[in-house]
Amino acid sequence: MQKDRNAQGNTGGSPEVGEFHEGLRLLEDMSLGTQSLDLSGILCGDVAETGTFDIRGVQKTAFSRLLDALPLPALLLEREYRIAFSNEAFARMHPDLAQLQHAVFTRICVRQQDKQDLAKNLAYVSRERKPRVIEALIGSDSTRIWGRIHIRPVKVGADRFIFVVVEDLTAEKRQALLSKKYTRSLKQAHDEVEARVRERTFELEKANEELKREIASRKSAQERLDLAAKVIESSNEAILITDDRGSIVDVNEAFTRITGYSKEDVVGKNPKIMGSGRHDRAFWQSFWLSLKETGQWRGEVWDRRKNGELYPKLLSVSAIGGEKGAVTHYVGIFSDISKIKQSEERLEQLAHYDPLTRLPNRLLFRDRLKRALVRARRAKTMVAVMFIDLDGFKNVNDTLGHPKGDELLVAVAERLIRCVRRSDTVARLGGDEFTVVMPDVSRPHQTIPIAQRIIEELSKPFVLDGDEMFTSASIGISLHPKDGVDADSLLKHADTAMYHAKMQGKNNFQFFSPEMNVEITRVVDMELTLRRAVERQDLMVYYQPLVDCQNGTIVGAEALLRLKDLSGHVLSGGPYVTVAEEKGLIVPIGNWVLRSVCRQNSRWRRNGHSLKVAVNVSMRQMRDPDLVKTVLAILAETGLDAEYLELELTETSIMADPETVIGTLRKLRGTGITISLDDFGTGYSSLSYLRQFPLDKLKIDKSFVNGIDRNPANRALVQAMVTVAHSLRMKVVAEGVETEEQLKILCGLGCDAWQGEHFSPAVPAAQFESLVLSRA
């Protein structure tokens, strides 16, 4: 220690002076680094020798003199952030704290929030040994300043303190506030000046606009005169001006170009020199009457050019009145419409024929049908109308494209012409719809050979540019006068018969009958009810319980579609499924049913019911290439495991395209979904196909169940079905069980489960859950 003091003395000053300079250097280095500041060397010699520090020794060191010499308030904090030492600048700033022994430093803050922030930062410095800086409102009730507080960890031997310096920001803050206030005042003054400038500018612009309008109004008269002259000379339409007596006073260049007459040829003469002679006296009387009453006339007139050629023109004549209202002049404006007339004739030709097939179109078809009806009424014969619609034509457009579809329509038109008589008219109404008018029919059977020939010819393959295409035709036939006496009725009834042919399996012809019309009307009403239910979200799902034959418990359900009509009655969805299939509604409705069932079954699963619910899949859904993707997406969306979903298919749907269906079913079954064959025994599936299909269940149709207690043959068939199904490792479910006797026989024959009115009809979800609870 003595050696260190002598070393300091060799620098040219006393030890106290050396300590003072050393403390100054340390204070200058406060902002450098992140380590704690070591003050041991400038406080007292005891620290270096003992490693301990007596706070009273601070008063005897150069460090205390250094702190008092600082213009900024500075102090040392010991434990609990109490003030261990403060300089004179701090005492001047906060006399009451300076007089207190070991006062808590956070009391320096005026506001509670600042006290909390200061306490957090002091804790951080003590814990992390890193400096921090905060700003706060500090002082006493009488003296307050805005201070920037620098906090730095220090050590003195083995002891640790916090060194604090307070920087007064009050003047700086006050200056900032004054600057902001002055800036706001300047901006307000600037905005007021700008507003005055804009107001004055607007007034000047308004005055300028008024001046411009005045100048424009003075120039307008001359410009109108110049414009009128230019319009007359440059117009593409001929302009002829006469006086009140009808003598020509002026014409333009277009007049000369259209008529061949020069101005010199016609000025002073009456326009009658160009008359065609086609219009009678009554026409000209009407012409002049209109001019006198309305001052205008417009219409088509035939005139003669100078070379004698007749031509049509569109003429507009106006009377020009003077100051007192009397007519002073007449202005005629006309254009040559020869080319327009020629185009109209061409359009009229095109208007009667289909541009693609060159067959008569709807307009010419109706005209020829009406003429045939007039002749038939005179001769007391019949007229037949055939409505022909191609089967599956949409698939051609969808798969091969519309150009190929157009080629097919042209080829169909050529075959139709070869199938009918010379006196018959083949027309195309639009799309893939054709009609045939057969006049002079003596008896209805006379139409049959032609209808059969059409079906036979259109069933043959079409080879177009190397592509082989297939189609067929559904034909409806109506007869005059039996099925209608006018064109509209006959066409409507033929269309109805065609629709019935579609319902009978397509590729056939049907004659119209009133009963057929009733059926078609019923189908149309069903379609309307179905579409309305979809739009109004009046679709519902009912559940028919599936009962185990061994223990009588409910092991699942079949989901069945229901819908409400306008009166609120719940209708069975079965009859509407066929309509939905034909009208392209089955896929969205089927997806809605599947989503609703999966969502409901997921809720049942959460309530502790482990049930497998079956959903019917239509033929059109099976043809959807996205079926597997759609089913998996719905399962993921509703959170239902695949093992609790069963998909039911009919024999018709799987036999429509067996190879494709087998691939789709394998993908579905591979996910854990159960596949069942519904209405087994009513279709035409062979046992070889049954063996190939990846099926889990067979559902015996209720037509076999109904007579099983009376008909031994039914019992034998059911026994055979059960045996075949079990040999193929399939479960067997009997549908439509209505009596206890039927149930006993079916369970005795080996059926695994059953459903039907004997236990419960299809019911809403809440009622179904009650049934499940009652059988638990």
Side-chain angles (χ1 to χ4, degrees):
M1 176 70 72
Q2 185 64 36
K3 183 177 180 180
D4 291 340
R5 293 180 182 274
N6 292 336
Q8 291 175 356
N10 292 335
T11 62
S14 65
E16 290 79 2
V17 174
E19 292 176 354
F20 182 83
H21 285 289
E22 179 64 19
L24 183 60
R25 181 184 62 78
L26 290 172
L27 289 177
E28 291 174 347
D29 291 342
M30 279 188 67
S31 61
L32 301 178
T34 60
Q35 300 299 322
S36 298
L37 186 63
D38 190 351
L39 302 180
S40 302
I42 63 171
L43 290 176
C44 63
D46 295 338
V47 173
E49 294 176 1
T50 65
T52 61
F53 171 62
D54 184 357
I55 193 62
R56 293 170 297 176
V58 176
Q59 308 295 336
K60 305 174 182 179
T61 63
F63 182 72
S64 65
R65 296 191 296 276
L66 175 62
L67 292 185
D68 284 337
L70 285 176
L72 298 179
L75 40 80
L76 280 175
L77 304 182
E78 54 184 350
R79 295 175 182 175
E80 299 180 356
Y81 316 126
R82 295 183 178 276
I83 300 173
F85 175 79
S86 60
N87 67 355
E88 294 180 359
F90 180 78
R92 289 192 299 269
M93 182 195 74
H94 209 310
D96 53 342
L97 278 180
Q99 294 171 3
L100 295 176
Q101 289 294 330
H102 303 294
V104 178
F105 177 59
T106 53
R107 289 177 57 185
I108 191 173
C109 297
V110 176
R111 300 180 303 187
Q112 185 62 32
Q113 181 61 42
D114 292 344
K115 292 181 181 180
Q116 295 173 357
D117 291 344
L118 180 56
K120 290 179 181 178
N121 280 274
L122 289 169
Y124 174 84
V125 172
S126 297
R127 181 178 65 255
E128 303 294 335
R129 311 307 298 171
K130 295 179 181 179
R132 297 299 288 266
V133 178
I134 71 166
E135 292 184 3
L137 186 64
I138 60 178
S140 61
D141 293 337
S142 59
T143 303
R144 295 185 180 185
I145 65 170
W146 190 267
R148 180 181 291 132
I149 304 174
H150 300 262
I151 308 171
R152 178 71 181 249
V154 299
K155 63 179 180 177
V156 183
D159 297 309
R160 295 186 179 275
F161 298 88
I162 295 178
F163 182 58
V164 178
V165 175
V166 180
E167 183 182 353
D168 189 353
L169 301 179
T170 306
E172 180 181 333
K173 292 285 185 178
R174 185 178 294 112
Q175 184 63 33
L177 290 174
L178 288 174
S179 176
K180 184 176 181 180
K181 179 178 180 181
Y182 294 151
T183 300
R184 186 163 57 248
S185 299
L186 287 173
K187 185 178 183 304
Q188 182 177 358
H190 178 268
D191 292 343
E192 291 177 356
V193 171
E194 285 287 336
R196 292 284 299 275
V197 169
R198 286 195 299 270
E199 181 180 356
R200 185 56 179 162
T201 301
F202 175 76
E203 293 174 355
L204 292 175
E205 288 177 349
K206 185 176 180 181
N208 189 39
E209 289 297 326
E210 292 178 355
L211 181 59
K212 287 181 180 179
R213 284 195 294 271
E214 178 65 21
I215 295 172
S217 64
R218 293 186 179 184
K219 295 172 65 176
S220 177
Q222 184 62 41
E223 289 178 352
R224 282 197 295 270
L225 292 175
D226 294 341
L227 180 61
K230 290 179 181 179
V231 168
I232 291 175
E233 289 304 320
S234 63
S235 174
N236 290 325
E237 294 182 315
I239 298 177
L240 176 148
I241 303 174
T242 73
D243 57 20
D244 60 335
R245 296 187 301 274
S247 297
I248 299 173
V249 297
D250 197 7
V251 294
N252 66 349
E253 292 183 4
F255 174 90
T256 299
R257 185 176 65 254
I258 293 174
T259 66
Y261 288 99
S262 66
K263 182 183 294 188
E264 292 75 14
D265 293 335
V266 297
V267 169
K269 297 180 181 178
N270 193 286
K272 290 180 180 180
I273 62 173
M274 298 175 288
S276 64
R278 283 195 171 191
H279 305 290
D280 55 16
R281 181 185 297 272
F283 174 84
W284 291 113
Q285 286 177 345
S286 174
F287 171 87
W288 285 108
L289 181 62
S290 177
L291 271 180
K292 290 179 179 178
E293 291 182 351
T294 65
Q296 292 182 340
W297 184 90
R298 180 181 174 84
E300 292 184 9
V301 177
W302 282 87
D303 258 1
R304 190 182 301 275
R305 306 186 203 274
K306 187 176 182 180
N307 61 9
E309 177 188 353
L310 296 179
Y311 72 99
K313 67 181 182 181
L314 182 62
L315 173 64
S316 176
V317 181
S318 299
I320 307 299
E323 294 181 358
K324 297 181 179 181
V327 175
T328 60
H329 294 84
Y330 293 100
V331 177
I333 302 174
F334 63 88
S335 57
D336 185 353
I337 58 173
S338 300
K339 293 183 179 179
I340 295 177
K341 284 290 186 181
Q342 294 171 1
S343 298
E344 286 178 350
E345 292 174 0
R346 174 61 179 163
L347 289 174
E348 187 175 356
Q349 171 69 18
L350 294 175
H352 289 88
Y353 289 88
D354 175 48
L356 177 64
T357 62
R358 303 297 180 184
L359 294 177
N361 61 11
R362 182 184 296 269
L363 185 63
L364 186 55
F365 158 77
R366 291 175 62 84
D367 180 67
R368 292 189 179 179
L369 177 56
K370 288 179 180 179
R371 292 184 183 183
L373 293 175
V374 171
R375 292 196 304 271
R377 282 191 285 268
R378 291 174 181 171
K380 296 185 178 180
T381 57
M382 291 188 292
V383 176
V385 175
M386 292 185 180
F387 197 106
I388 305 167
D389 186 87
L390 301 183
D391 301 325
F393 178 73
K394 183 177 183 298
N395 293 334
V396 176
N397 276 339
D398 292 344
T399 57
L400 300 179
H402 288 275
K404 283 294 182 184
D406 290 345
E407 292 181 29
L408 178 60
L409 291 174
V410 173
V412 167
E414 293 172 353
R415 292 192 186 182
L416 287 175
I417 293 174
R418 294 199 298 267
C419 292
V420 300
R421 307 172 304 178
R422 288 188 177 181
S423 59
D424 299 337
T425 296
V426 179
R428 181 190 178 208
L429 299 187
D432 60 337
E433 296 178 342
F434 297 85
T435 54
V436 177
V437 177
M438 296 181 61
D440 304 320
V441 175
S442 57
R443 48 195 176 84
H445 292 290
Q446 194 174 344
T447 63
I448 294 178
I450 294 178
Q452 290 175 333
R453 192 180 307 130
I454 290 173
I455 290 175
E456 180 181 350
E457 286 296 319
L458 296 187
S459 297
K460 296 177 181 179
F462 292 82
V463 180
L464 304 173
D465 295 334
D467 293 324
E468 191 174 50
M469 290 179 279
F470 295 89
T471 187
S472 60
S474 298
I475 304 174
I477 305 173
S478 63
L479 294 167
H480 165 80
K482 174 177 171 287
D483 300 327
V485 295
D486 59 82
D488 291 336
S489 297
L490 290 170
L491 183 61
K492 176 184 176 183
H493 292 160
D495 186 13
T496 300
M498 182 278 297
Y499 190 84
H500 192 69
K502 292 275 189 184
M503 297 177 62
Q504 297 301 313
K506 304 178 182 179
N507 197 29
N508 68 93
F509 66 90
Q510 297 288 328
F511 285 92
F512 173 79
S513 68
E515 295 78 11
M516 183 186 302
N517 200 27
V518 171
E519 173 64 17
I520 298 301
T521 301
R522 186 185 68 83
V523 172
V524 171
D525 290 341
M526 290 177 65
E527 179 188 355
L528 181 61
T529 300
L530 181 61
R531 290 187 183 276
R532 187 182 293 116
V534 172
E535 293 173 0
R536 294 163 55 93
Q537 298 182 352
D538 282 339
L539 299 178
M540 298 171 292
V541 179
Y542 275 33
Y543 299 86
Q544 185 171 43
L546 188 68
V547 184
D548 188 274
C549 280
Q550 298 299 321
N551 54 30
T553 61
I554 297 176
V555 293
E558 179 180 359
L560 298 171
L561 177 67
R562 297 290 185 266
L563 61 153
K564 288 183 180 179
D565 60 13
L566 288 178
S567 62
H569 293 113
V570 177
L571 306 176
S572 172
Y576 292 88
V577 171
T578 303
V579 177
E581 185 108 23
E582 292 177 354
K583 299 304 178 180
L585 299 173
I586 193 64
V587 172
I589 291 177
N591 291 342
W592 179 88
V593 171
L594 181 61
R595 183 174 285 104
S596 300
V597 169
C598 290
R599 188 180 294 115
Q600 178 61 62
N601 201 7
S602 184
R603 285 195 289 267
W604 284 335
R605 287 280 300 139
R606 290 193 297 270
N607 292 339
H609 306 306
S610 297
L611 300 169
K612 185 174 294 186
V613 181
V615 179
N616 292 282
V617 179
S618 70
M619 183 189 304
R620 185 160 295 187
Q621 285 177 283
M622 286 302 302
R623 291 176 178 172
D624 185 0
D626 294 328
L627 176 62
V628 177
K629 186 187 300 183
T630 300
V631 172
L632 295 180
I634 291 175
L635 287 173
E637 173 190 335
T638 58
L640 181 68
D641 293 337
E643 62 179 304
Y644 298 105
L645 175 62
E646 179 179 330
L647 298 181
E648 288 190 8
L649 301 91
T650 62
E651 291 186 63
T652 305
S653 63
I654 66 174
M655 294 304 298
D657 186 2
E659 300 301 328
T660 302
V661 170
I662 288 173
T664 301
L665 293 183
R666 283 176 178 168
K667 293 178 183 178
L668 290 168
R669 196 171 182 230
T671 67
I673 296 173
T674 300
I675 307 297
S676 62
L677 182 61
D678 196 12
D679 300 336
F680 182 68
T682 61
Y684 46 83
S685 59
S686 65
L687 291 178
S688 62
Y689 269 119
L690 187 63
R691 179 171 52 85
Q692 296 178 34
F693 284 114
L695 300 172
D696 299 291
K697 285 184 182 180
L698 286 184
K699 301 190 75 172
I700 299 175
D701 186 71
K702 64 180 180 180
S703 60
F704 297 98
V705 174
N706 284 342
I708 198 170
D709 53 346
R710 302 182 305 275
N711 190 337
N714 279 15
R715 185 178 304 183
L717 286 172
V718 171
Q719 179 67 74
M721 294 178 192
V722 171
T723 302
V724 170
H726 284 170
S727 67
L728 295 175
R729 298 181 180 179
M730 300 179 192
K731 297 289 186 180
V732 179
V733 177
E735 294 183 300
V737 179
E738 297 180 353
T739 66
E740 183 67 25
E741 184 65 24
Q742 292 174 351
L743 177 60
K744 290 180 180 179
I745 294 173
L746 290 167
C747 292
L749 293 176
C751 288
D752 300 289
W754 62 279
Q755 63 187 80
E757 299 280 342
H758 181 59
F759 179 77
S760 171
V763 294
Q767 190 173 343
F768 175 80
E769 188 170 6
S770 299
L771 289 173
V772 173
L773 292 173
S774 67
R775 285 288 182 124

